[in-house]
Amino acid sequence: NPRSDYGRSNFDNRHAVALSFNANPWCALGLGGVFRYYSGYPINETVGSDVNRDRDNFDRPVAGIDDASRPIVSPRDAAGRAIRNGIEGEEQMLLDLRFQYILDLPRRNSLGLFWEIYNATDRANFGNPSGSRRSSNFLVPVRAGAPRTMQLGVRYTF
């Protein structure tokens, strides 16, 4: 029944904000940044086995059948089945910064010095956890994005 699989797409990211800025506050000094926020992709709560024998492991739990040992986290439809992708995923927030100084040299040459900081807030941006109720890591984030990283750069333009 295709109607029983109605729900959010796996890539349904309801809120996404991206802001950037670039400024030259003094002579050759430049500042820039990019801020990004994503509300996260949904998580599909599944039983973790092929209950209905249709050769997939994407069967969702049903109230009264699969909730004896663990309550169903997802909202349920009229038949008591967890709706597809009913759990909110992990949000992401990133701030990347760039500082630069460009020194003009004779004969239209220049020397640029750059310092870039990725994930400047050093926030732990977790990936979506497993939605399989059989997993020991059910709804427990086990991976994260990169921590704060920095790089220095030099560019000579001739």
Side-chain angles (χ1 to χ4, degrees), residues 20-145:
S20 65
F21 71 92
N22 192 12
N24 291 351
W26 179 73
C27 296
L29 180 66
L31 306 170
V34 177
F35 172 79
R36 292 167 287 163
Y37 171 82
Y38 308 102
S39 58
Y41 296 119
I43 301 169
N44 193 23
E45 183 175 5
T46 62
V47 176
S49 64
D50 188 11
V51 176
N52 62 3
R53 296 188 180 103
D54 63 353
R55 298 183 186 163
D56 69 23
N57 286 334
F58 302 113
D59 299 339
R60 294 183 310 280
V62 179
I65 298 172
D66 300 306
D67 59 353
S69 62
R70 176 181 282 169
I72 298 173
V73 179
S74 298
R76 295 182 292 272
D77 62 12
R81 181 179 313 275
I83 63 170
R84 180 176 183 264
N85 289 329
I87 302 172
E88 292 295 325
E90 298 288 329
E91 63 182 17
Q92 307 281 313
M93 186 178 74
L94 296 159
L95 175 63
D96 301 333
L97 300 173
R98 175 182 172 117
F99 301 94
Q100 67 184 26
Y101 187 80
I102 299 178
L103 179 65
D104 289 329
L105 300 174
R107 290 189 243 153
R108 298 176 55 187
N109 297 336
S110 65
L111 179 66
L113 305 170
F114 306 94
W115 180 31
E116 297 171 332
I117 306 168
Y118 304 102
N119 191 11
T121 60
D122 202 24
R123 179 173 188 227
N125 290 300
F126 292 106
N128 273 358
S130 172
S132 172
R133 294 168 58 88
R134 288 199 175 196
S135 172
S136 60
N137 292 322
F138 175 64
L139 297 183
V140 177
V142 294
R143 59 189 167 94

